[in-house]
Amino acid sequence: MTESFESHAGENPMNIDFAPELEAFRAEVAEFFATAPTPAIREAGRKTTSVFAPFKECMEWQRILFEKGWVAPHWPKESGGTGWSVEQRFIFAEEYRKADLPPLLPQSLGMVGPLLIDLGTEEQKARYLPGILSGDDFWAQGYSEPNSGSDLASLSCRAEADGDDYIINGSKIWTTYAHHANRMFMLVRTSNEGKKQQGITFLLLDRTDYPGMTIRPIIGLDGFPEQCEVFFEDVRVPQSGRVGAENEGWAVAKHLLTHERGGGNAASPTLMRYCERAREAAAATPSPFGGMLAADPVFQRELGELEADIASLGHFEKLAISGHAIARDPAFPSINKTINSELIQRASTIMAQVSGVGGLVRQLEALRVGSNVEPLGSEFDLISMPLYLNSRATTIYAGSNEVQRDLIARSLAAGA
């Protein structure tokens, strides 16, 4: 049966199945993915164990996609996007995951770029968007602090106005890939008056090597330095990097969160690929009750329920990125983030269960792209436990799911 939903303009129903003429587009995408990535990029895709792919290969892949004109399907065409339909964007996402390619890092293309398109000045757009698209610039996100995680409004990293500059003192933590970044967007406190959400300002830092700025990588549970601590001691930055008015950065940050929590991208193809890999591995994994694990009815039920929930998320995402009214509901970003993050955890748990003791071996060298170290066991076993460990954070970052459920309840109560 064919389902449909209203387009953003409301004129005609939009079919969420794919029209036959789109198969030519699918073939074009599949052919490009089969020929354009280097062996190192393909290896990075297979060995990605979080939402953040290996940096070097990921940025190399971004530059290839940029040259093709396919680096930002979710951006408006006039800003460098593709101008594709909802169906084309989903086909692109599906073929992307079938090819096991590394996900593009979200901080630049998925967060600050869309924010600048929506709220930046014309000067800021002209200055920053080209480098975001090309991959010449990579932006770190300076939000969390040692005592301000999900309660981001309590942040204390301070910026004092001094002429045309701000002088920043304080620290940030869990700043992903800050040691690779050449730019940063961050929240700073510029006033202590009023409620704690007030007095926060959103800043763009032109570089990450200002005098007085120190970046220290943190080794994660998977053994790799993904997050960082960032320290500011009398760091002088220009006020021209401010987005929005001084002391009104909370509203800017809330707008960015609609992008960070999945306001324009499709996660369901990636999640479905995790299920496919689990099913493939289970077909070669003996069950303790005889036969192969893939034939075990309990495993089949658990995986089938997960796939059904991911398919439901996929329909939800299609509605959202089409411009449907559901995406304009204030609760949508929180709903999307909560569902997505919990499905990631469920998928990684099934993968770890399939690997069993084979996934417990810590093999950092084998995980490194280009190491040529053969893993003990399968490549599936190699990535299952690091992916499981990294996915524990998905229900915490971008606002913990407990906070998201509170926001959803408040939104529903306000609309009742």
Side-chain angles (χ1 to χ4, degrees), residues 234-286:
D234 293 331
V235 175
R236 182 178 289 271
V237 303
Q239 290 194 35
S240 60
R242 186 179 64 236
V243 178
E246 184 174 280
N247 299 327
E248 296 182 7
W250 188 250
V252 179
K254 286 175 65 177
H255 185 88
L256 184 143
L257 279 173
T258 65
H259 299 291
E260 183 177 1
R261 291 170 181 165
N265 296 301
S268 53
T270 297
L271 295 170
M272 200 62 80
R273 180 59 184 145
Y274 289 156
C275 292
E276 291 171 0
R277 295 182 77 169
R279 191 183 300 279
E280 291 165 2
T285 301

Side-chain angles (χ1 to χ4, degrees), residues 5 8 47 66 73 83 87 105 114 122-123 149 170 186 196 201 226 228 248 259 302 349 354 413:
F5 57 84
H8 68 280
K47 292 181 177 179
F66 171 71
E87 293 89 347
L105 299 173
E122 292 305 314
E123 180 183 356
M186 65 182 301
K196 61 183 181 179
T201 298
E226 187 173 282
C228 297
E248 296 182 7
H259 299 291
E302 185 174 0
T349 298
V354 172

Side-chain angles (χ1 to χ4, degrees), residues 19-343:
E21 56 266 26
L22 288 174
E23 290 309 307
F25 174 76
R26 184 185 294 276
E28 179 188 1
V29 172
E31 172 65 19
F32 181 75
F33 289 160
T35 57
T38 65
I41 290 171
R42 293 192 182 282
E43 183 181 358
R46 296 195 308 272
K47 292 181 177 179
T48 295
T49 57
S50 75
V51 295
F52 305 104
F55 183 82
K56 177 183 175 182
E57 292 75 21
C58 184
M59 298 309 293
E60 180 185 354
W61 177 227
Q62 178 175 330
R63 293 183 185 100
I64 292 173
L65 285 171
F66 171 71
E67 292 296 328
K68 181 68 172 176
W70 289 359
V71 75
H74 57 295
W75 284 27
K77 189 172 183 179
E78 60 271 20
S79 299
T82 58
W84 288 342
S85 66
V86 176
E87 293 89 347
Q88 286 175 306
R89 286 169 60 183
F90 258 82
I91 288 172
F92 180 82
E94 287 179 334
E95 295 302 318
Y96 197 109
R97 291 316 306 161
K98 287 178 185 177
D100 287 333
L101 295 167
L104 297 181
L105 299 173
Q107 297 96 313
S108 300
L109 289 166
M111 297 182 195
V112 72
L115 175 77
L116 291 176
I117 291 171
D118 294 342
L119 302 181
T121 65
E122 292 305 314
E123 180 183 356
Q124 288 170 339
K125 294 176 187 178
R127 183 173 186 175
Y128 297 125
L129 293 183
I132 291 173
L133 285 169
S134 68
D136 291 339
D137 295 327
F138 175 72
W139 292 73
Q141 180 186 26
Y143 272 25
S144 294
E145 298 180 8
N147 295 310
S148 300
S150 289
D151 184 18
L152 189 58
S154 66
L155 65 87
S156 61
C157 183
R158 189 161 187 85
E160 300 277 357
D162 184 53
D164 293 332
D165 297 334
Y166 286 115
I167 298 176
I168 303 177
N169 283 282
S171 65
K172 298 292 180 178
I173 198 168
W174 314 123
T175 311
T176 304
Y177 283 163
H179 55 314
H180 293 305
N182 66 327
R183 300 189 190 277
M184 177 182 289
F185 60 96
M186 65 182 301
L187 295 176
V188 292
R189 184 159 297 283
T190 45
S191 173
N192 287 318
E193 297 181 5
K195 296 180 180 180
K196 61 183 181 179
Q197 289 89 350
Q198 298 171 322
I200 292 174
T201 298
F202 192 103
L203 284 182
L204 307 174
L205 273 60
D206 271 351
R207 61 185 205 266
T208 52
D209 62 349
Y210 287 99
M213 186 174 179
T214 303
I215 298 173
R216 298 178 186 168
I218 300 170
I219 304 299
L221 286 173
D222 61 353
F224 290 97
E226 187 173 282
Q227 283 82 35
C228 297
E229 297 175 286
V230 184
F231 300 91
F232 301 86
E233 185 175 354
D234 293 331
V235 175
R236 182 178 289 271
V237 303
Q239 290 194 35
S240 60
R242 186 179 64 236
V243 178
E246 184 174 280
N247 299 327
E248 296 182 7
W250 188 250
V252 179
K254 286 175 65 177
H255 185 88
L256 184 143
L257 279 173
T258 65
H259 299 291
E260 183 177 1
R261 291 170 181 165
N265 296 301
S268 53
T270 297
L271 295 170
M272 200 62 80
R273 180 59 184 145
Y274 289 156
C275 292
E276 291 171 0
R277 295 182 77 169
R279 191 183 300 279
E280 291 165 2
T285 301
S287 168
F289 304 104
M292 291 298 170
L293 183 59
D296 181 85
V298 175
F299 171 79
Q300 290 179 335
R301 183 187 66 190
E302 185 174 0
L303 185 60
E305 289 175 348
L306 175 59
E307 289 174 328
D309 289 342
I310 293 171
S312 296
L313 173 65
H315 289 295
F316 184 63
E317 289 174 329
K318 290 174 184 177
L319 287 168
I321 67 175
S322 73
H324 191 274
I326 192 172
R328 297 190 293 274
D329 190 295
F332 167 75
S334 294
I335 295 171
N336 190 64
K337 190 269 177 178
T338 301
I339 295 172
N340 184 3
S341 60
E342 293 178 0
L343 288 175

Side-chain angles (χ1 to χ4, degrees), residues 4-15 319 322-325 328:
S4 65
F5 57 84
E6 293 298 317
S7 68
H8 68 280
E11 303 93 348
N12 299 302
M14 179 177 279
N15 194 334
L319 287 168
S322 73
H324 191 274
R328 297 190 293 274

